[in-house]
Amino acid sequence: MEAAQTLEIDFPREFLPMLEPRRTQVYFGGRGGCKSWTFAILLVLRAYREPNLRILCAREFQGSIRESVHRLLADTIDRLGLSWFFRIEQQGIHGKNGSHFFFAGLKNNISAVKSVENIGVVWCEEAEAITEHSWDTLIPTIRAPGSEIWISFNPQSETDATYQRYIVPYLDQ
């Protein structure tokens, strides 16, 4: 494997807490808030640094790989100069250290996701659409020691399951 390189990365300071491991990381707000770009940078760097890290990139509805963050991750890898380290395939992205990104829609594949072992991080993109049923199945599936659930979304309605689960309990504090 090639020698590690030093990378200088700029990203919004609001995302600095993501550098510390937490079971759940939730970022929400309007479009253009750098959520997806920042998540992609941080996950690519973790996959580069952590051997055998398995990262599930999930959303409620995903009919094809084009509807996932696959392109964003591939572009981020290229922008960071890490194309030599990652093999980008149509259905997944593989690091030379055994790290692996894979992609799934929850609505039609929740049973398949349930059987996946050793997920280190799940990134739930466009999480405003994730249903209560999907959360109830996904959360206990992410059970590897130290595993994390990263959630990014643009709130649509206060009645959405994601908003109710992750925002409402903290509004009165």
Side-chain angles (χ1 to χ4, degrees), residues 72-99:
L72 173 60
L73 290 164
D75 290 347
T76 300
I77 288 165
D78 188 51
R79 235 183 354 269
L80 294 175
L82 294 172
S83 297
W84 63 270
F85 183 81
F86 290 98
R87 187 177 77 251
I88 299 170
E89 297 177 346
Q90 203 166 27
Q91 297 301 317
I93 299 173
H94 309 274
K96 288 185 176 185
N97 63 355
S99 60

Side-chain angles (χ1 to χ4, degrees), residues 11 13-27 38-39 42-43 46 49-50 120-121 146-150:
F11 61 91
R13 56 184 308 145
E14 296 83 22
F15 293 90
L16 284 174
M18 293 191 78
L19 298 176
E20 297 297 321
R22 286 196 193 120
R23 172 64 177 166
T24 307
Q25 307 258 11
V26 180
Y27 284 78
T38 303
F39 276 41
L42 294 173
L43 287 172
R46 280 197 56 185
R49 194 178 70 240
E50 297 177 32
V121 179
S147 59
E148 297 180 39
I149 300 168
W150 292 17

Side-chain angles (χ1 to χ4, degrees), residues 4 7 11 14 23 34 37-40 42 59 64 77 82 113 121 123 127-128 133-134 137 155 161 164 167 172:
L7 301 171
F11 61 91
E14 296 83 22
R23 172 64 177 166
C34 298
W37 271 53
T38 303
F39 276 41
L42 294 173
R59 58 179 59 205
S64 71
I77 288 165
L82 294 172
V113 169
V121 179
W123 173 13
E128 68 276 1
H133 171 71
S134 291
T137 306
Q164 287 295 310
I167 305 306
D172 295 329

